[in-house]
Amino acid sequence: MSDVTLKDAMRRVAATVGVVSARFGDQDMAMTATSFCSLSLEPPALLVCVNRQAAMHEVLAVGSRFCMNVLEETQDKVSAACGGQRQRSERFEVGDWEACGQGAPYVRGAQANVFCEVVQRIDYGTHTIIIGQVADVRVSQGRSPLVYFDGGYVSVKGLAV
């Protein structure tokens, strides 16, 4: 077996950056995620993978609501704030956040905001796969996603085939 790891291989996969946000009691929480995708169109659902050590992990119990905020390329500071070791309260000092009746705060101006209810959790290794049934979707007019590749943010402008 070589010294190359799965992490080395996955650094070569460009991924759209999202921030998972939720409300826990009276406290808002957010976490950057690149491991999320659509799961089903009927019923509409998506999945996001959350490390069991993350504070967000226990918040996303079955029946909880969350928002998957698909970030726009100028929102890299939101991603950094929600992905680093900042205190939970400081994460909401960066970006344009808004409270929502869907039970989770969301990032205004994001490429998309997908509001979900957790319907299933599947434990695997160090992570839990969270399956969220979509309750509402908001999409912006722009098409310039924040993309993470090889340890940094990259622009996809001009890459259309």
Side-chain angles (χ1 to χ4, degrees):
M1 179 119 173
S2 72
D3 290 334
V4 177
T5 66
L6 177 60
K7 185 176 180 179
D8 295 324
M10 296 311 296
R11 285 181 67 112
R12 283 142 179 86
V13 176
T16 301
V17 179
V19 168
V20 180
S21 55
R23 173 158 287 166
F24 183 64
D26 62 349
Q27 184 176 14
D28 291 335
M29 300 184 74
M31 177 194 91
T32 297
T34 54
S35 185
F36 67 94
C37 64
S38 62
L39 175 62
S40 167
L41 294 178
E42 193 56 46
L46 59 76
L47 64 81
V48 60
C49 300
V50 179
N51 189 303
R52 290 186 193 175
Q53 300 300 315
M56 180 68 77
H57 183 265
E58 291 310 313
V59 172
L60 297 174
V62 172
S64 298
R65 291 183 176 263
F66 69 94
C67 181
M68 188 75 241
N69 300 279
V70 181
L71 298 184
E72 195 268 335
E73 78 174 343
T74 64
Q75 295 172 323
D76 55 314
K77 289 180 177 60
V78 174
S79 171
C82 295
Q85 299 300 317
R86 284 191 176 199
Q87 295 296 318
R88 288 183 215 144
S89 60
E90 292 176 354
R91 295 176 182 204
F92 294 92
E93 294 173 1
V94 178
D96 188 8
W97 289 90
E98 187 164 314
C100 180
Q102 296 292 336
Y106 68 96
V107 180
R108 292 175 51 125
Q111 292 277 280
N113 308 102
V114 183
F115 298 91
C116 299
E117 180 176 333
V118 178
V119 293
Q120 190 172 353
R121 291 170 38 135
I122 302 166
D123 292 331
Y124 188 85
T126 57
H127 285 64
T128 298
I129 302 163
I130 308 293
I131 299 175
Q133 187 164 345
V134 177
D136 193 18
V137 176
R138 297 177 184 182
V139 178
S140 71
Q141 296 301 315
R143 294 183 185 256
S144 55
L146 180 62
V147 175
Y148 195 75
F149 175 73
D150 199 22
Y153 300 113
V154 297
S155 176
V156 296
K157 286 184 180 175
L159 296 180
V161 179

